[in-house]
Amino acid sequence: MEYHKTVLLHETVEALNIESSGVYVDLTFGGGGHSKEALSKLDSNGKLIAFDQDESALVNSIDDNRFQLIRQNFETASHMIGLIIEAPLEGNTEAFMHGEANPDCSN
C-alpha cells in the first residue's frame, strides 16, 4: 500500500522537543515519515517505538536498532511500552495526546 505524503513533518517532530537519548513513540506509524525524521534526531542511546495494526505498514519498517515496530493498535501502547522500557517517555507528549502536534493523527 502506498501511503500519503507525510504532512507537517518538521513541525510535528519539532513539537516533540527531542532529546537525543530519549525514548519516543509513534502511535500511527503508517508510512513511517514522522518516525524516520524523529530517528534522525536520536543518538545511539535513543529509542523509537512505533505502533500500527495494519499489515501494509510493515513494508515501511525501518532497519535501525533504535527502532521497534509493534503490529498492534495504539490502544495497547501503554501496556506494551511498559513491557519494553522502564524509562519515561521524553518530549512534548501533551501535544500528541491532544492532537496539537499532528492534527490529522497520521503520517
Side-chain angles (χ1 to χ4, degrees):
M1 171 183 215
E2 187 172 321
Y3 283 84
H4 59 272
K5 181 179 178 185
T6 302
V7 296
L8 298 172
L9 177 64
H10 300 290
E11 296 87 347
T12 301
V13 175
E14 284 177 24
L16 283 170
N17 297 317
I18 290 180
E19 297 288 333
S20 61
S21 61
V23 178
Y24 297 87
V25 177
D26 181 344
L27 295 175
T28 56
F29 179 70
H34 290 109
S35 285
K36 290 173 189 167
E37 182 68 17
L39 274 172
S40 75
K41 310 282 187 198
L42 297 177
D43 64 22
S44 61
N45 296 313
K47 183 159 183 72
L48 179 67
I49 303 165
F51 288 81
D52 204 302
Q53 67 183 0
D54 298 329
E55 186 174 334
S56 59
L58 296 177
V59 301
N60 299 313
S61 188
I62 302 166
D63 185 20
D64 189 308
N65 63 357
R66 303 167 299 163
F67 177 77
Q68 183 171 1
L69 177 59
I70 299 172
R71 188 175 168 229
Q72 290 190 20
N73 187 288
F74 61 82
E75 291 176 346
T76 67
S78 180
H79 174 72
M80 294 301 296
I81 292 166
L83 294 174
I84 297 169
I85 63 168
E86 295 180 17
L89 298 177
E90 302 290 345
N92 185 358
T93 56
E94 286 298 312
F96 277 92
M97 294 173 85
H98 298 294
E100 297 164 11
N102 189 358
D104 74 355
C105 296
S106 62
N107 277 342

